[in-house]
Amino acid sequence: MIDNEVIICRCEEVTKEEVIKAIRRGANTVNAIKRWTRVGMGLCQGKSCLQWVAKILSEETGKPMKNIKPQTSRPPIRPIKFSVRLTEEEDR
Amino acid sequence: MYHNTRDVVIIGGGVIGCSIAYYLAKKGIKPLILERRQIASEASCAGAGGLWPQSESKGPGIFLDLCIESNKMFPALCRELEWNIGFDPSGLLHLIEDEEAMEESKRLMEWQLKRGLQVEFLTKEETLKMEPALSKDLLGSLYFSSDAQLSTIDLTHAFYLGAMSLGAEIMIDTEVKQIILKKKRIEGVIVKKSRQKEKINTKIVINAAGAWSRNIGQMVGLRIPVIPIRGQIVLTDPLPELFRRSLVARDVYMMQKASRNIVLGSTREDVGYDKTVSIQGIENLRNAGCKVVPQLKNATMVRTWAGLRPYTPDEVPILGRVEEVEGFIMASGHFRNGILLSPITGKLIAELIVDGKTSLPLRDTRLSRFPGYLIKKKRVLTPVS
């Protein structure tokens, strides 16, 4: 198993230990762990790390992986430049 | 295991519920928080974190008094709470975009100076000197030096940890299904947690259910005029420091947070319990932001979200006892200022319960200021043949 000091979320530099601490404080969902640690709140929005978080949550609580809900998805799927127009309407 | 009797039950584990739990625990009461989901999972995690007592007030009155008193409590809270809340007393610029805004700002400044509050008018040149990234089309600004910002989630967590370390308890994933009344007195609540029902005896119930507090009111025959108002928010990637202070324009407010991301908020929409974001809402915020800070055009949007703020018709929260239901206490309807008002709300409700009197009068925050707050039993009409 991975070392506790390993960085789970590279964007926000969150270690496995911090994730475990959040679970011990009562976080029992991926969303709650995110709020305690900022895991998955960086540029990649958790694309690589939140699977790891779910796995750690499963190990720590004994909840099977299939019962762990993924994070609430927040648009956009990929970062979008502010200069890109989203609606068809012309700017005045 | 949980015991079945509690001195005080708080419904809602948002910033208001956690603050009340903290201030009660400081006075030696060990309350139980009942939370439908988890700590800070609704409006308390959806705000931008502005502490703006002066620019959010429309005139003198109880709302302003609550905001000013609450804002004063943050420096001490930073010292006593063991979790960092990211408090940043960096001030706020209220941006003046046109002549109409200039007139409004003059009126705002006039009554605030008369009230003895600190506010300063800055010319266009002075504004640009303070925040060089601002648009050169602005006419000027009002500078509120005592306004601040913080991290909303961390504040909620800080109150929660503080309360728990003093003996408060919480049940998460626990929904209140019923409030038991006997002769218009609170006797207890019935909760549901993972399909199991449980009864908790208590004589005091605090309704801190935010945008859902209307549902709790119905359980005791009260019509609570709180509705959810959706606020959409946009977050950029971390950027080099573009500005320091909170910026408030007509259609957008912006803050560059400690993480260097810029947050742009927020819409005000009456769409029920719908927390999705709309492309139009996001684009309006972005356009309004780029108008006052032109360099934002180079930013990247990484996340958007929406929260449901508990709105009341007069935009003043509902705090205090309700005469008709003994043991039922309101602490809801904080709309856009729940974060700012959380310390004073916790303090006043704890005073009300423990000391029987409060350091600020709660006369103007009573539920009974709204006509029709009592739900009358429907009479069954016999059809006329």
Side-chain angles (χ1 to χ4, degrees):
Chain A
M1 194 48 230
I2 47 177
D3 192 277
N4 274 6
E5 278 162 37
V6 79
I7 287 181
I8 294 289
C9 165
R10 282 187 285 180
C11 305
E12 294 287 331
E13 296 181 12
V14 182
T15 62
K16 183 183 176 193
E17 192 177 2
E18 288 172 84
V19 172
I20 292 175
K21 264 192 195 158
I23 296 168
R24 302 221 167 119
R25 279 191 210 103
N28 65 345
T29 63
V30 174
N31 282 336
I33 295 171
K34 198 171 148 182
R35 289 195 291 268
W36 277 105
T37 62
R38 291 191 63 81
V39 71
M41 286 196 184
L43 201 61
C44 90
Q45 290 293 296
K47 282 186 189 65
S48 47
C49 61
L50 290 178
Q51 269 303 309
W52 281 108
V53 173
K55 192 157 187 299
I56 298 166
L57 182 60
S58 165
E59 282 169 10
E60 289 291 311
T61 59
K63 241 192 203 177
M65 278 295 275
K66 66 174 170 45
N67 293 353
I68 291 176
K69 266 203 280 180
Q71 67 154 333
T72 310
S73 60
R74 306 284 193 201
I77 293 171
R78 286 198 196 90
I80 305 176
K81 282 277 175 208
F82 259 25
S83 50
V84 175
R85 187 180 297 151
L86 304 176
T87 55
E88 288 174 40
E89 207 182 320
E90 283 294 309
D91 283 352
R92 271 158 302 217
Chain B
M1 272 309 288
Y2 290 102
H3 295 286
N4 264 343
T5 298
R6 281 293 180 286
D7 291 334
V8 177
V9 164
I10 300 168
I11 303 175
V15 72
I16 298 296
C18 291
S19 170
I20 295 169
Y22 174 66
Y23 283 96
L24 276 173
K26 281 207 335 178
K27 283 179 174 284
I29 299 237
K30 293 171 182 170
L32 170 67
I33 303 175
L34 300 175
E35 164 55 46
R36 192 172 64 105
R37 296 174 63 192
Q38 290 90 32
I39 292 296
S41 36
E42 295 290 349
S44 304
C45 77
L51 303 175
W52 307 330
Q54 287 175 243
S55 61
E56 285 278 313
S57 292
K58 295 188 184 80
I62 184 67
F63 181 75
L64 178 71
D65 297 345
L66 289 168
C67 288
I68 299 283
E69 285 310 308
S70 206
N71 195 43
K72 284 184 196 157
M73 295 167 74
F74 284 97
L77 274 175
C78 285
R79 289 189 295 273
E80 68 183 69
L81 293 171
E82 281 170 25
W83 186 262
N84 183 6
I85 61 173
F87 179 69
D88 177 10
S90 49
L92 175 145
L93 287 180
H94 190 100
L95 307 175
I96 303 170
E97 294 170 86
D98 51 30
E99 285 302 331
E100 195 191 333
M102 183 67 92
E103 289 307 309
E104 274 171 39
S105 300
K106 279 181 185 160
R107 279 196 295 273
L108 184 72
M109 190 159 125
E110 197 179 339
W111 75 256
Q112 297 211 344
L113 286 175
K114 221 179 264 174
R115 170 74 168 58
L117 299 170
Q118 187 152 21
V119 47
E120 205 181 317
F121 175 81
L122 302 184
T123 62
K124 175 180 173 172
E125 289 70 30
E126 288 165 331
T127 305
L128 288 169
K129 203 174 163 195
M130 202 175 252
E131 294 293 359
L134 283 169
S135 160
K136 294 182 177 49
D137 293 335
L138 292 172
L139 303 182
S141 65
L142 293 183
Y143 175 47
F144 297 95
S145 59
S146 53
D147 288 8
Q149 52 176 303
L150 51 57
S151 158
T152 64
I153 300 175
D154 288 321
L155 177 66
T156 312
H157 284 162
F159 278 135
Y160 165 73
L161 290 174
M164 294 300 130
S165 71
L166 293 169
E169 283 177 86
I170 185 161
M171 289 171 78
I172 55 171
D173 301 315
T174 302
E175 202 178 341
V176 173
K177 297 305 256 185
Q178 193 190 333
I179 297 175
I180 307 159
L181 290 176
K182 196 173 170 189
K183 290 181 183 164
K184 304 239 165 175
R185 276 171 186 233
I186 301 273
E187 287 268 297
V189 293
I190 296 198
V191 299
K192 195 171 147 196
K193 185 182 169 85
S194 51
R195 297 198 201 113
Q196 293 252 314
K197 279 196 177 176
E198 189 179 332
K199 187 184 166 196
I200 298 157
N201 300 313
T202 185
K203 289 194 163 53
I204 300 175
V205 165
I206 300 168
N207 182 2
W212 287 264
S213 49
R214 170 187 288 258
N215 305 355
I216 303 299
Q218 273 169 2
M219 296 178 189
V220 292
L222 297 174
R223 188 179 287 114
I224 294 167
V226 172
I227 59 162
I229 291 289
R230 181 169 74 184
Q232 301 187 37
I233 300 229
V234 178
L235 189 82
T236 72
D237 54 336
L239 296 166
E241 187 175 291
L242 206 50
F243 50 89
R244 180 84 188 87
R245 293 155 191 87
S246 302
L247 303 177
V248 176
R250 185 182 297 118
D251 300 318
V252 70
Y253 58 73
M254 284 181 280
M255 278 174 280
Q256 189 157 16
K257 306 301 285 188
S259 54
R260 293 274 167 260
N261 305 72
I262 293 174
V263 53
L264 295 89
S266 83
T267 58
R268 273 178 180 229
E269 303 155 274
D270 179 3
V271 290
Y273 291 95
D274 176 2
K275 282 194 289 180
T276 52
V277 293
S278 68
I279 290 177
Q280 194 62 59
I282 296 306
E283 187 140 278
N284 290 348
L285 291 173
R286 184 204 64 184
N287 291 346
C290 291
K291 194 177 154 206
V292 290
V293 179
Q295 285 176 59
L296 264 183
K297 287 194 181 81
N298 306 321
T300 298
M301 178 192 310
V302 296
R303 184 162 79 239
T304 62
W305 68 89
L308 302 173
R309 279 86 180 262
Y311 172 89
T312 64
D314 56 8
E315 298 189 21
V316 174
I318 307 171
L319 308 174
R321 293 186 189 281
V322 183
E323 211 179 294
E324 290 79 4
V325 186
E326 202 180 321
F328 191 75
I329 295 174
M330 284 299 305
S332 169
H334 294 75
F335 192 35
R336 281 155 56 108
N337 292 286
I339 299 297
L340 168 62
L341 292 173
S342 59
I344 194 73
T345 300
K347 181 171 178 262
L348 292 173
I349 299 297
E351 287 171 354
L352 184 68
I353 291 171
V354 182
D355 311 330
K357 55 175 195 279
T358 54
S359 50
L360 272 180
L362 295 181
R363 197 182 52 244
D364 297 337
T365 62
R366 286 178 300 193
L367 175 66
S368 56
R369 70 182 187 271
F370 299 106
Y373 69 101
L374 291 173
I375 300 174
K376 304 246 165 66
K377 285 213 181 87
K378 282 186 194 128
R379 270 185 231 120
V380 183
L381 296 175
T382 35
V384 184
S385 56

